Amino acid sequence: MYDLTKREIEALDNVLIFAKRAINGFERVNINSGLDLLKNIDAQDAVARRIEEVGENVGHLSAGFKHEFPAMPWQQMKNMRNLISHNYGRTNWDLVFTTVNQDFPQLIDYIESTVNLSKTLPVPDVFETDGLFEDVQQYDPEIDEPSI
């Protein structure tokens, strides 16, 4: 059995997050075809960013991981990220639509069922927020009265 590194776990978790966001984004704004996507610049920008994030995170997976889990086209995902990032207005939105609607659900299923992150992700003792929710973390409902 392959032991995932912390970096691989984080990268795969991010891949799941961004692939799901792309799918959900299409559903929210009713993108049902490449033509719909071509007509919606905001959706283009959003999905392009999600594909960039997926490809960037796939780039953090080791050669050993990719060898152990060869069923997904990891290099093609990275290549698509590069194509979206550096194609400068010549993006094939039909291909992007197909990627989000057909490939991302398969990717999500593969990671969730085959790689099985749930057995490898550690459960943190403390939620890491980098101080973002510092006031919330210090709130004790038995001591503090909520202020409105």
Side-chain angles (χ1 to χ4, degrees):
M1 179 170 185
Y2 183 83
D3 289 325
L4 295 170
T5 66
K6 181 179 177 183
R7 185 172 190 185
E8 289 169 336
I9 292 168
E10 290 171 353
L12 290 167
D13 192 42
N14 285 335
V15 167
L16 289 173
I17 289 167
F18 291 116
K20 288 176 181 179
R21 284 184 184 173
I23 293 167
N24 292 337
F26 276 9
E27 291 171 358
R28 273 195 316 276
V29 295
N30 296 316
I31 301 295
N32 299 306
S33 69
L35 183 58
D36 288 344
L37 185 55
L38 184 61
K39 294 177 183 178
N40 189 324
I41 293 172
D42 291 335
Q44 290 175 22
D45 291 344
V47 75
R49 182 70 181 137
R50 301 301 175 234
I51 289 173
E52 288 173 338
E53 290 288 351
V54 167
E56 190 65 29
N57 280 283
V58 163
H60 295 296
L61 300 174
S62 70
F65 172 88
K66 293 172 188 174
H67 177 74
E68 185 72 21
F69 299 99
M72 286 289 114
W74 304 113
Q75 187 58 50
Q76 287 177 310
M77 289 181 225
K78 181 70 175 170
N79 292 348
M80 186 160 192
R81 175 250 180 245
N82 292 338
L83 187 66
I84 293 284
S85 296
H86 304 293
N87 203 20
Y88 307 113
R90 298 176 303 224
T91 302
N92 180 334
W93 295 110
D94 285 322
L95 177 61
V96 169
F97 176 79
T98 300
T99 297
V100 172
N101 273 348
Q102 294 177 16
D103 300 335
F104 276 6
Q106 292 174 13
L107 174 63
I108 291 166
D109 182 58
Y110 183 76
I111 292 172
E112 290 180 340
S113 65
T114 306
V115 178
N116 199 359
L117 288 177
S118 63
K119 291 185 178 178
T120 59
L121 284 174
V123 178
D125 292 332
V126 178
F127 181 68
E128 297 177 25
T129 62
D130 296 326
L132 184 61
F133 298 108
E134 195 169 295
D135 293 336
V136 176
Q137 290 176 338
Q138 294 175 3
Y139 172 74
D140 184 344
E142 294 188 20
I143 298 171
D144 299 325
E145 288 293 321
S147 59
I148 298 176

